Amino acid sequence: MLTLTVTALTVGLATSAQATAVSSAPLTSTSASTTGFGCAHPSQSGQVRCFGLLKDHRTASGRMSPFTTGSPTTAGYKPSDLRSAYNLGDTSGSGRTVAIVDAYNDPNAESDLAAYRRAYGLPSCTTANGCFRKVNQHGQASPLPSGDYGWAEEISLDLDMVSATCPGCHILLVEADSSDVTDLMKAEDTAATTPGVVSVSDSWGGPEDNTITSFDSHFHHPGVAITASSGDSGYGASWPASSPYVTAVGGTALSKASNSRGWTETAWSGAGSGCSAYEAKPSWQHDSGCAKRTVADVSAVADPNTGVAVYDTYNSCGGGLVCDTELQLGVAQGADGWVEVGGTSVSSPIIASVYALAGNTSQVAGGSYPYSHTSALNDVTSGSKGSCGGSYLCTAKPGYDGPTGLGTPHGTGAF
């Protein structure tokens, strides 16, 4: 198996239309050092689009470097790291359910989840023991959507981050029929109205347009905390992170340190942030530089250079050394084992899981709760995207700022 480094998925939103078939287009190079590792590419308006970045393992001369073998200890932060960094102690979630909403099907979701949890000594979470459940957008076990290699990577990431952050939580995976917004909204309602679900994570989003407010009601489920990734393209508000009914989750670079916390964080340069053009200012936001809804509210690790370990084996080449070679060359899609991923696709399920750990979602209304409990957050005060003149909307500062919001979890008290 091959160790890869992937920037987790974000998506772009247009107006509504019918979904089309899953694309099988090969990965394309986006720069000299990264390769696209994406989901189905939309061919019609109304479909979301997601992206990933895969590091090319090449030497300075451009030759392929030797393969490395991925393992639970060589491919990014593990559960004990995340629980240490965010002071989550011995809390386990006590059977509360975190729902994950994604598009398309990951046929290996349960087996890959089992491998991840087994590697780190986490309790088993399977269909058989009632901990794990996978359904379509209507809440049924079948028929499931078509498979997609890029969305499978996203699904693996989401399931693994819930496992890492809230090892005692049950997990509901709701797979939308496509990446069309209307399908995802059906999946969202299914997730949030399923008995036992206390939080929902949405690791997708896209640019705002004048249709977004018409979809906001699908995120309005009192008693259920809904989180949404702020995006991975830097300055500029995205939706549904800009919806007032969600907790918008930004991103940080997380590093071990010799301070009393044992960790330090700075704003990740790719974290989405900004001022909504359409969503009204919630009563609980008081920043002065944005007349409407500001993104983000809180944050967690997202920088792929300080990424997390994820286990995913759904690919187009079947596994083994030849498959690993094809994946590295970009002629096959998917992953073949342990990968290291980043992006706000990481931070959203982490925060959804912290909400579950806190067990307080009956009091949560949109992204408001952390604003009155800032003492239980790590304030992130440095790091910038450098694209808005040093404004707090794209530069981390003491107190509230766009890329990291109010900060990162210091225990569960802010959730």
Side-chain angles (χ1 to χ4, degrees), residues 185-403:
M185 295 303 95
K186 292 175 184 176
E188 192 74 21
D189 289 333
T190 292
T193 59
T194 297
V197 169
V198 298
S199 61
V200 180
S201 175
D202 300 304
S203 289
W204 42 268
E208 296 184 312
D209 62 30
N210 60 9
T211 70
I212 60 173
T213 57
S214 67
F215 294 108
D216 278 340
S217 62
H218 297 281
F219 300 94
H220 183 43
H221 295 278
V224 177
I226 298 179
T227 63
S229 300
S230 70
D232 296 343
S233 300
Y235 182 57
S238 67
W239 183 89
S242 62
S243 171
Y245 299 121
V246 310
T247 299
V249 187
T252 68
L254 173 70
S255 302
K256 292 183 178 181
S258 58
N259 56 23
S260 58
R261 179 186 170 192
W263 300 86
T264 185
E265 287 178 280
T266 60
W268 174 47
S269 61
S273 69
C275 185
S276 175
Y278 300 95
E279 301 283 9
K281 192 78 168 177
S283 61
W284 32 268
Q285 273 194 328
H286 303 288
D287 56 303
S288 60
C290 175
K292 293 187 180 293
R293 168 76 155 113
T294 314
V295 175
D297 297 314
V298 294
S299 55
V301 61
D303 186 346
N305 292 313
T306 64
V308 298
V310 166
Y311 190 82
D312 177 60
T313 62
Y314 184 50
N315 58 61
S316 62
C317 50
L321 182 59
V322 172
C323 178
D324 290 346
T325 304
E326 292 177 351
L327 288 168
Q328 183 141 5
L329 292 171
V331 297
Q333 294 177 284
D336 187 27
W338 291 99
V339 292
E340 182 176 0
V341 301
T344 55
S345 286
V346 176
S347 55
S348 178
I350 288 176
I351 296 299
S353 301
V354 176
Y355 270 118
L357 288 173
N360 191 46
T361 56
S362 63
Q363 300 184 48
V364 171
S368 64
Y369 196 82
Y371 286 80
S372 57
H373 298 82
T374 56
S375 63
L377 294 165
N378 302 301
D379 190 10
V380 181
T381 61
S382 63
S384 175
K385 286 173 287 210
S387 59
C388 64
S391 163
Y392 76 95
L393 292 174
C394 70
T395 301
K397 299 178 181 295
Y400 179 84
D401 57 71

Side-chain angles (χ1 to χ4, degrees), residues 49 90 134 182 301 337 357 383:
R49 185 179 177 206
D90 297 324
K134 179 169 76 169
T182 56
V301 61
L357 288 173

Side-chain angles (χ1 to χ4, degrees), residues 10 13 27 59 115 144 158 173 207 210 233 238 240 266 341 373 383 396 403 409:
T10 57
L13 173 67
L27 304 181
T59 65
L144 293 171
D158 291 338
L173 170 60
N210 60 9
S233 300
S238 67
T266 60
V341 301
H373 298 82

Side-chain angles (χ1 to χ4, degrees), residues 4-19:
L4 310 175
T5 302
V6 180
T7 299
L9 311 174
T10 57
V11 290
L13 173 67
T15 56
S16 62
Q18 293 300 313

Side-chain angles (χ1 to χ4, degrees), residues 24-67:
S24 59
L27 304 181
T28 55
S29 178
T30 57
S31 74
S33 59
T34 60
T35 302
F37 185 100
C39 307
H41 291 262
S43 58
Q44 295 183 8
S45 63
Q47 296 176 299
V48 297
R49 185 179 177 206
C50 58
F51 299 92
L53 293 178
L54 168 65
K55 276 190 177 179
D56 291 333
H57 293 264
R58 297 178 185 271
T59 65
S61 66
R63 293 171 60 87
M64 282 293 201
S65 62
F67 291 128

